[in-house]
Each structure stands twice: as C-alpha cells, then as structure tokens.
C-alpha cells in the first residue's frame, strides 16, 4: 500500500455495467489500490431508490462484484464490500440529515432526471440518495472519491455536509475531494452522443457493456453516430467523434491530441475500426476472468463478508465519534 490517501467509491448493482462505468470509475478504483487505501462498496441500498426486482438485485450483486474483481480489484489489497452489510451507513445517513439542507437536495440534477423516468412512484429514497451517498464516504473519513463527471454535484453536497457537521459539532469528519479522470469522465452513448452512457437509460445499441461479446462491441462501435464531416478531431459540433477519440485516448493511455494526429487524413471508417479493436482488446480479458469468477457464488459471498468486517471496523469508529458529538446515546466514559 502506497500513500496516505483513503479512497472510497461506490457502484450500483443495477443493470449491466458499461464502458462508461469502466473508464470513469472502475479503472480509477484499480489504480487507487496502489496509491492509497482503497475502499469500494457495492451500493445495494441505493439500488432500491428506483423500481427494481428483489431477486434480480441479488443476481446483479454477484455480477457487479465479479466484474470488479475481474477488472483487477484484489480483496487482499483493498476493502471490497456490500453496503447493506455495514449498518453504519444507514445510521449515519439519518444523523447527517440533521446538517443537510433540504434546499440543496432539491437542486440535485440526478433526482430531477431520475424522477422523470419513474413510471409508478418517485420514492423519497430517490430524493434522499445523496445523503446516503454522503454517509457512505464520510463513514470512512475518506480523502478522495473517484467518480465520473455526473457525480460532481453529489460530491459537492457531501463536502458541504461534512463542513456543516464539523462547524456545528466539532472536527470529526474529513472533507473529501472528488477525483475525476482527465479524459473519460463522461463517456457518451454511442447512438446519442450528447447523452451520458448509462446503466438505466439511453439506447442499448449505443451502450457498450463490459460483458458484451467481441462481435457486439464491434457492431456498436462501427455504427456509432458521428457527423457529416470527415476529420478525426474533437469539437463541440462533433460529439460522436470526440467521444470515440476520448475512448481511444484512455485505452491507449495517450493524450487525445495524439489520437487526432495519428488519424489525420484517415476516414471515419478506419478510425472506428481502430476504436472497435481497442475496446475489444481492453474488455476481453475482463470478460474472460468474469466468466471464471461468476459461477462460484459462495467464494464471492466469502470475499464480501471479509470485506464487510474490515469496513465495519472503520465505520463503527466514526459512528461512535459522531454519536458522541451529537449527544446521541449515553455519553462515553
Ligand atoms: P445510472 O445511470 O442508473 O445512475 P450508472 O451507469 O451511472 O447508472 P452507477 O453505478 O450509478 O452507474 O455509477 C458508477 C460510477 O460510474 C459512478 O462513479 C459514475 O460517475 C460513473 N459513470 C457512470 N456513467 C458514466 C459515464 N458515462 N462516463 C464516465 N463515468 C460514468
Ligand atoms: Mg449513476
């Protein structure tokens, strides 16, 4: 373990995880293991804030855990656990609601977007989502939160909550910094390149799933919506090509400008072919390891249980301090 950063991030066990999740979040988790103490949580409680099927949630829990391990998270080198196994998250969420402004929650873009998609019920849980997310991070006194660009507002909110808590009750919580990738913080849907690639909405044909077969990936990349021009360069009027340049830049680990120079003069067809090959080679090994790991559910259960135990040790310490400072429960001797 290197460095003093304590890194925390969560991912929902919903739907099928995609290239945006991989590039914006999972890739950063893996890298964080070498830079500090990585604490990664599969947030099943967040998944209950929209319509869902209970049996499917359990399946997705295994899927998501296996994807994370296949991507390179090593439960020996990081803490990998299921949110609902550590009850401190829900308790802290309530306690933090005392220092969360209703008006701030009311301004959250994610709530606005997701509430519009709900056909049956807009749950209070969906409104409260950012408070639970603040509790997830603050329970570990994390210094850093690796997330995609869409989570900026939630990170700002948790910083405000921590600051307000400390001002009111004493310096107990750590104010975390968001960490967003320089390139790839917002991967766009290939069919609708002005919308974020997402687990729960947007064209399926434009969403590259981590577990897609090579042929499906090729087809999706090759049919990506571009523009009527011919130049492989970034631009505000070239959302589709810009997105593909970003994807290739991340996979090759070179600045986007280098991709532009390399493909100067070549047509969109050749460029898309190169992106398709790169994505196939990038995700292929993850899909292979996933296929080995996923069937052994009891091994996954064991890893999650061991992770929860380590997580609980840290979170329960924070909760004891928070309760004491807030005058909740008997005074500590
Ligand atoms: P939903 O759209 O239902 O919220 P999601 O695809 O955002 O699902 P989450 O589990 O909520 O999936 O997000 C996990 C992580 O992936 C978060 O850190 C989020 O910021 C990041 N992320 C999600 N979509 C993208 C994207 N298109 N580009 C980069 N990062 C992304
Ligand atoms: Mg999300």
């Amino acid at each position: 373990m290197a460095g003093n950063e304590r890194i925390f991030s969560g991912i929902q066990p919903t739907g099928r995880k995609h290239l945006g999740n991989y590039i914006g979040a999972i890739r950063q988790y893996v890298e964080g293991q070498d830079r500090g103490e990585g604490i990664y949580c599969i947030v099943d409680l967040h998944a209950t804030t929209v319509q869902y099927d209970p049996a499917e949630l359990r399946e997705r829990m295994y899927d998501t855990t296996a994807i994370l391990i296949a991507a390179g998270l090593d439960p020996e080198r990081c803490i990998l656990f299921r949110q609902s196994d550590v009850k401190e998250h829900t308790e802290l969420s309530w306690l933090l609601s005392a220092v969360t402004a209703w008006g701030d929650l009311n301004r959250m873009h994610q709530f606005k977007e997701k509430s519009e998609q709900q056909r049956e019920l807009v749950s209070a849980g969906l409104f409260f989502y950012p408070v639970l997310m603040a509790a997830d991070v603050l329970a570990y006194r994390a210094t850093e939160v690796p997330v995609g660009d869409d989570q900026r507002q939630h990170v700002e909110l948790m910083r405000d909550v921590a600051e307000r808590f400390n001002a009111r009750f004493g310096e107990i919580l750590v104010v975390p910094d968001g960490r967003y990738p320089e390139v790839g913080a917002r991967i766009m849907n290939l069919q609708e390149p002005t919308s974020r690639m997402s687990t729960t909405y947007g064209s399926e044909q434009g969403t590259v799933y981590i577990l897609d077969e090579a042929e499906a990936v090729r087809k999706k990349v090759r049919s990506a919506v571009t523009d009527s021009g011919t130049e492989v360069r970034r631009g505000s009027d070239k959302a589709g090509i810009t997105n593909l340049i970003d994807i290739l830049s991340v996979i090759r680990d070179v600045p986007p400008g280098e991709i532009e120079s390399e493909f100067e003069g070549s047509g969109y067809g050749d460029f898309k072919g190169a992106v398709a090959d790169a994505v196939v080679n990038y995700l292929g090994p993850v899909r292979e390891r996933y296929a080995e790991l996923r069937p052994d559910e009891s091994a996954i259960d064991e890893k999650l249980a061991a992770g929860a135990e380590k997580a609980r040790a840290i979170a329960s310490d924070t909760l004891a301090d928070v309760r004491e400072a807030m005058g909740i429960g008997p005074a500590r001797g």
Side-chain angles (χ1 to χ4, degrees):
M1 194 175 80
N4 297 323
E5 294 296 340
R6 181 175 276 173
I7 301 164
F8 182 97
S9 198
I11 186 163
Q12 297 194 70
T14 47
R16 288 178 286 165
K17 300 325 267 188
H18 53 80
L19 184 63
N21 298 136
Y22 199 89
I23 288 179
I26 297 172
R27 175 178 62 114
Q28 296 204 82
Y29 304 170
V30 175
E31 176 263 347
Q33 293 182 120
D34 300 321
R35 223 163 26 76
E37 186 182 1
I39 306 177
Y40 305 114
C41 179
I42 300 149
V43 293
D44 54 346
L45 297 174
H46 277 101
T48 65
T49 58
V50 294
Q51 273 261 297
Y52 77 101
D53 175 66
E56 195 186 323
L57 178 59
R58 290 224 169 83
E59 291 300 309
R60 297 306 186 200
M61 185 71 214
Y62 288 118
D63 296 352
T64 308
T65 310
I67 284 180
L68 292 176
I69 297 172
L73 286 190
D74 174 1
E76 302 289 321
R77 284 197 297 150
C78 70
I79 300 178
L80 178 63
F81 71 106
R82 168 169 40 210
Q83 183 184 34
S84 61
D85 286 346
V86 181
K87 297 197 170 38
E88 279 76 1
H89 291 235
T90 41
E91 183 180 352
L92 184 57
S93 171
W94 183 256
L95 295 175
L96 293 179
S97 74
V99 287
T100 306
W102 178 84
D104 288 347
L105 286 183
N106 217 18
R107 276 190 284 278
M108 294 291 126
H109 307 306
Q110 180 174 291
F111 175 74
K112 284 179 194 156
E113 278 167 24
K114 289 200 174 172
S115 57
E116 276 165 19
Q117 295 157 23
Q118 302 311 308
R119 268 164 288 166
E120 306 225 328
L121 171 78
V122 175
S123 71
L126 191 58
F127 187 73
F128 220 68
Y129 185 114
V131 189
L132 181 58
M133 181 169 161
D136 294 338
V137 175
L138 301 181
Y140 298 89
R141 295 181 166 120
T143 53
E144 194 185 292
V145 189
V147 281
D149 192 56
D150 61 293
Q151 292 301 314
R152 276 179 197 275
Q153 208 185 16
H154 289 163
V155 173
E156 283 311 307
L157 181 92
M158 71 176 70
R159 289 172 55 87
D160 290 347
V161 166
E163 278 166 5
R164 202 174 293 121
F165 183 96
N166 288 348
R168 167 102 169 76
F169 298 112
E171 290 293 318
I172 304 271
L173 299 176
V174 170
V175 182
D177 289 311
R179 186 183 174 96
Y180 313 93
E182 246 171 76
V183 181
R186 192 177 187 82
I187 299 297
M188 308 309 259
N189 185 294
L190 302 183
Q191 288 296 315
E192 303 150 22
T194 50
S195 313
R196 176 175 74 85
M197 193 179 279
S198 152
T199 311
T200 45
Y201 50 96
S203 148
E204 275 220 22
Q205 194 51 36
T207 306
V208 175
Y209 298 105
I210 296 172
L211 302 176
D212 272 345
E213 302 281 335
E215 262 330 290
V217 172
R218 284 211 168 80
K219 198 162 161 223
K220 287 175 180 176
V221 175
R222 285 191 169 280
S223 55
V225 167
T226 51
D227 51 77
S228 56
T230 54
E231 282 172 83
V232 179
R233 62 165 173 80
R234 288 164 296 166
S236 53
D237 53 338
K238 296 171 77 70
I241 288 291
T242 302
N243 191 36
L244 295 177
I245 291 174
D246 284 353
I247 290 170
L248 192 54
S249 154
V250 166
I251 294 178
R252 293 223 185 135
D253 198 18
V254 299
E258 252 179 62
I259 304 290
E260 291 173 331
S261 321
E262 182 183 336
F263 289 92
E264 207 181 319
S266 40
Y268 286 175
D270 286 350
F271 174 58
K272 282 179 173 178
V275 177
D277 286 342
V279 176
V280 165
N281 291 331
Y282 189 56
L283 297 179
V286 181
R287 185 160 46 89
E288 282 165 25
R289 281 194 293 273
Y290 173 88
E292 287 166 21
L293 293 162
R294 177 62 180 84
D296 194 348
E297 295 185 348
S298 57
I300 296 176
D301 283 333
E302 270 170 38
K303 290 190 173 89
L304 289 174
E309 204 167 312
K310 291 191 257 176
R312 212 174 289 125
I314 302 173
S316 62
D317 245 26
T318 311
L319 259 292
D321 291 349
V322 167
R323 290 173 64 110
E324 173 75 7
M326 291 182 77
I328 298 298
R332 269 193 295 207

